[in-house]
């Protein structure tokens, strides 16, 4: 009997000892968990860096098809030529700019490519649109029976709109032949500004000189029906009266706009 007890105790002893090494085997398996978390951290970095690579490509889609050495129309200054497309860093942000040269005005302008649509910059008019503008010159002048200050503001808006047909309308309305009364100073200024914008674009589109373009414009104006002498005299009187009292006219215009 004592032998059986000793045998049982001896059998239990190795079982316990066998259980102990099993515990030591499971312990080294625990450090595998932190290895997974460490491996997961560097994997997140390239995912965050991916959009940074795409950001510089965004301005390239905002060129609206404009290219270097191309002639364009900038509404506030007329026809200019893109000399280059450059990048500048302003306040930590990189901007892509069109470098536009206006030869006649001896001026260089830098326009962000992202703001091209906002400023109204456009490509040169098609030959068909130029033909339409020339046909507009042959029409009858349309003079509104309003104060000159109001009409002058409307003419300026048309000149700076960049619309070649609208500019042609200003040239048509302010043109005076030799047999008609002379223009006032302000009328002459607006007429010359509109004529300059129109002749520049026609010259570039038709590949002729500005002098030749002006002659073509004047030839089409000569075909327009003459206005009545009374209408010309009234228009000239209104313009001269407003020239001597521009302040009152401008105030009335600003008051109307505010209303």
């Amino acid at each position: 009997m004592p032998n059986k007890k000793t045998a049982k105790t001896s059998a239990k002893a190795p079982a316990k000892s066998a259980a102990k090494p099993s515990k030591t085997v499971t312990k080294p398996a625990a450090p595998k968990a932190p290895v997974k978390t460490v491996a997961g951290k560097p994997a997140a970095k390239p995912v965050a860096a991916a959009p940074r690579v795409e950001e510089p490509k965004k301005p390239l889609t905002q060129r609206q098809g404009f290219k270097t050495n191309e002639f364009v129309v900038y509404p506030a200054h007329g026809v200019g030529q893109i000399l280059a497309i450059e990048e500048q860093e302003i306040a930590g942000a990189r901007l892509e700019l069109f470098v536009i040269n206006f030869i006649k005005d001896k001026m260089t302008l830098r326009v962000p490519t992202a703001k091209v649509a906002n400023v109204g910059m456009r490509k040169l008019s098609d030959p068909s649109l130029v033909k339409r503008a020339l046909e507009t010159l042959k029409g009858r002048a349309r003079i509104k029976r309003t104060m000159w200050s109001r009409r002058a503001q409307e003419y300026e808006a048309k000149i700076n709109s960049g619309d070649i047909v609208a500019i042609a309308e200003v040239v048509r309305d302010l043109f005076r032949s030799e047999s008609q009364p002379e223009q006032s100073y302000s009328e002459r200024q607006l007429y010359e500004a509109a004529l300059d914008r129109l002749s520049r674009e026609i010259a570039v589109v038709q590949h002729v000189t500005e002098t030749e373009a002006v002659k073509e414009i004047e030839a089409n104006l000569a075909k327009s029906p003459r206005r009545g002498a009374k209408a010309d005299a009234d228009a000239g009187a209104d313009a001269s009266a407003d020239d001597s009292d521009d302040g009152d006219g401008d105030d009335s215009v600003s008051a109307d706009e505010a209303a």
Side-chain angles (χ1 to χ4, degrees):
M1 295 297 290
N3 291 334
K4 289 181 180 180
K5 290 180 179 180
T6 54
K8 289 180 180 180
T9 54
S10 62
K12 291 178 181 179
K16 290 180 180 179
S17 61
K20 288 180 180 178
S22 64
K23 291 180 181 178
T24 57
V25 173
T26 56
K27 285 181 181 178
K32 290 182 180 179
V35 174
K36 292 180 181 178
T37 55
V38 173
K41 289 181 181 178
K45 290 182 180 178
V47 174
R52 294 179 185 175
V53 178
E54 296 176 359
E55 285 177 1
K57 295 180 182 179
K58 292 180 181 178
L60 300 178
T61 62
Q62 297 171 345
R63 294 182 181 179
Q64 304 294 330
F66 295 106
K67 301 177 182 178
T68 308
N69 298 324
E70 181 182 7
F71 284 96
V72 296
V73 176
Y74 192 87
H77 303 290
V79 177
Q81 186 177 20
I82 299 177
L83 297 182
I85 301 174
E86 62 182 29
E87 287 188 1
Q88 289 185 2
E89 187 170 348
I90 301 175
R94 296 192 67 82
L95 288 179
E96 190 177 49
L97 307 168
F98 287 119
V99 182
I100 307 172
N101 182 38
F102 300 89
I103 300 175
K104 194 168 184 179
D105 298 332
K106 297 180 180 179
M107 177 182 68
T108 300
L109 192 67
R110 284 173 170 79
V111 183
T113 56
K115 294 185 177 180
V116 166
N118 294 337
V119 300
M121 193 172 88
R122 64 171 175 82
K123 292 180 176 291
L124 292 173
S125 300
D126 295 332
S128 59
L129 191 58
V130 171
K131 184 179 179 180
R132 180 183 166 192
L134 292 172
E135 290 294 327
T136 301
L137 300 174
K138 300 177 183 179
R140 183 179 295 277
R142 298 178 182 178
I143 307 298
K144 292 183 179 180
R145 304 305 301 168
T146 57
M147 293 182 62
W148 167 248
S149 56
R150 167 68 67 179
R151 283 187 283 128
Q153 196 172 45
E154 291 177 356
Y155 290 147
E156 287 179 357
K158 285 186 175 182
I159 293 171
N160 294 324
S161 68
D163 184 349
I164 190 172
V165 176
I167 296 172
E169 291 174 355
V170 177
V171 174
R172 177 199 65 194
D173 294 346
L174 294 179
F175 170 71
R176 298 288 183 85
S177 64
E178 294 179 357
S179 61
Q180 292 173 325
E182 293 184 0
Q183 295 171 318
S184 66
Y185 176 74
S186 56
E187 276 184 314
R188 194 181 313 112
Q189 275 191 321
L190 287 173
Y191 173 75
E192 291 176 354
L195 180 63
D196 180 67
R197 296 282 179 89
L198 184 61
S199 60
R200 278 200 221 180
E201 186 165 3
I202 291 176
V204 176
V205 173
Q206 296 184 349
H207 304 287
V208 297
T209 64
E210 286 188 31
T211 304
E212 292 172 331
V214 170
K215 288 181 179 179
E216 185 177 5
I217 291 170
E218 292 176 345
N220 284 276
L221 287 169
K223 298 176 183 178
S224 63
R226 292 184 179 182
R227 295 181 298 189
K230 186 178 183 301
D232 290 332
D234 291 343
D238 290 343
S240 358
D242 284 347
D243 280 345
S244 60
D245 192 12
D246 283 338
D248 295 342
D250 291 340
D251 291 341
S252 63
V253 171
S254 60
D256 291 342
E257 289 180 346

